Amino acid sequence: MQGALLSAGSLADWAAFSGSWNDLALDTFMADGGRYRRRRHAVYAIEAGGKLAREAHQPHWQGLEYNPLNGGVARWFEPVTEAIGAGDSLSTILRWCAGLFGRLSPEVANWKVEVHQFRIEAGPGIAGQPTPEGAHRDGVDHVLVLMIRRHNIAEGTTTIIDADGNTLGSFTLTDAFDAALVDDARVRHGVTPVEALDSSQPAYRDVLVVTFKRR
């Protein structure tokens, strides 16, 4: 995936970009009472042809039909920082996605794009839940899940399921730049809980999730 991204621009600030996962805020909207998820959020507008602009900070919204655990609530997360939001790496990722998803959906002139920085933490006797709502759709058109870092964890296996409930495949994102691309209208996706290999040390799974939804 790294080579594909470089075809769309620079990753010169990757060290700072990936390091920004160390500064995520606790997700306080977990209906299961979990304290294992940290995140930041941003929204962009992208036109066909790749012109992009960051929008004013706003809540993330999912209907209960897509997220029965945490949906139905306007969730205000801490914003992606200005430096990271305008930096080379994220801009390149968004341009690459706009090119790919634009080719897959050439009739779309304008996209609403949401960016989510996620850290899922595991601790002594506590598994981290990347998808606590279970296998799900996000209610968008296209999804990119990009691995940033795994540290001291086991599991975290992604499964893709079709509309009839058939498992199409399972795989584990293990290294930086490993990615999953999801046609959200056609399939559901979920990720198994992550567990600490050494419970005396920090354990976490860092991913970037980017969703594209036609306006």
Side-chain angles (χ1 to χ4, degrees):
M1 187 66 175
Q2 183 176 8
L5 291 174
L6 286 169
S7 70
S10 171
L11 299 171
D13 70 338
W14 182 264
F17 177 68
S18 60
S20 70
W21 266 256
N22 294 321
D23 187 34
L24 304 188
L26 185 69
D27 183 344
T28 60
F29 288 93
M30 299 299 297
D32 64 357
R35 310 286 285 180
Y36 50 79
R37 182 155 75 181
R38 297 181 180 275
R39 66 193 296 174
R40 287 182 182 270
H41 173 247
V43 178
Y44 293 79
I46 299 185
E47 298 177 3
K51 181 181 178 182
L52 65 91
R54 186 166 179 174
E55 297 191 343
H57 191 50
Q58 57 194 269
H60 176 54
W61 171 269
Q62 288 177 297
L64 288 169
E65 68 271 29
Y66 295 113
N67 191 331
L69 177 65
N70 296 317
V73 176
R75 290 181 284 165
W76 286 92
F77 300 116
E78 288 297 310
V80 173
T81 66
E82 290 298 324
I84 295 301
D88 288 338
S89 292
L90 186 54
S91 298
T92 292
I93 291 165
L94 295 180
R95 282 195 299 269
W96 184 85
C97 287
L100 174 63
F101 299 150
R103 292 191 294 275
L104 292 173
S105 302
E107 74 281 5
V108 179
N110 295 284
W111 297 101
K112 178 181 180 179
V113 178
E114 295 194 58
V115 171
H116 306 263
Q117 293 179 282
F118 284 107
R119 169 168 286 185
I120 304 299
E121 299 174 326
I126 301 173
Q129 305 276 348
T131 55
E133 64 274 28
H136 65 283
R137 291 175 52 218
D138 288 327
V140 298
D141 292 280
H142 305 286
V143 181
L144 166 72
V145 181
L146 182 68
M147 174 59 62
I148 304 299
R149 182 187 301 104
R150 288 170 60 100
H151 179 75
N152 187 35
I153 59 166
E155 299 299 329
T157 297
T158 299
T159 299
I160 306 296
I161 301 169
D162 70 14
D164 296 322
N166 300 308
T167 298
L168 301 178
S170 295
F171 51 88
T172 303
L173 306 179
T174 58
D175 300 315
F177 298 105
D178 284 355
L181 294 162
V182 180
D183 185 341
D184 192 63
R186 297 176 59 192
V187 299
R188 291 178 292 139
H189 63 282
V191 183
T192 60
V194 297
E195 300 176 354
L197 293 171
D198 179 352
S199 61
S200 69
Q201 300 296 322
Y204 50 85
R205 178 182 188 263
D206 293 347
V207 300
L208 176 75
V209 175
V210 180
T211 66
F212 272 58
K213 182 176 183 178
R214 66 190 69 200
R215 290 190 184 272

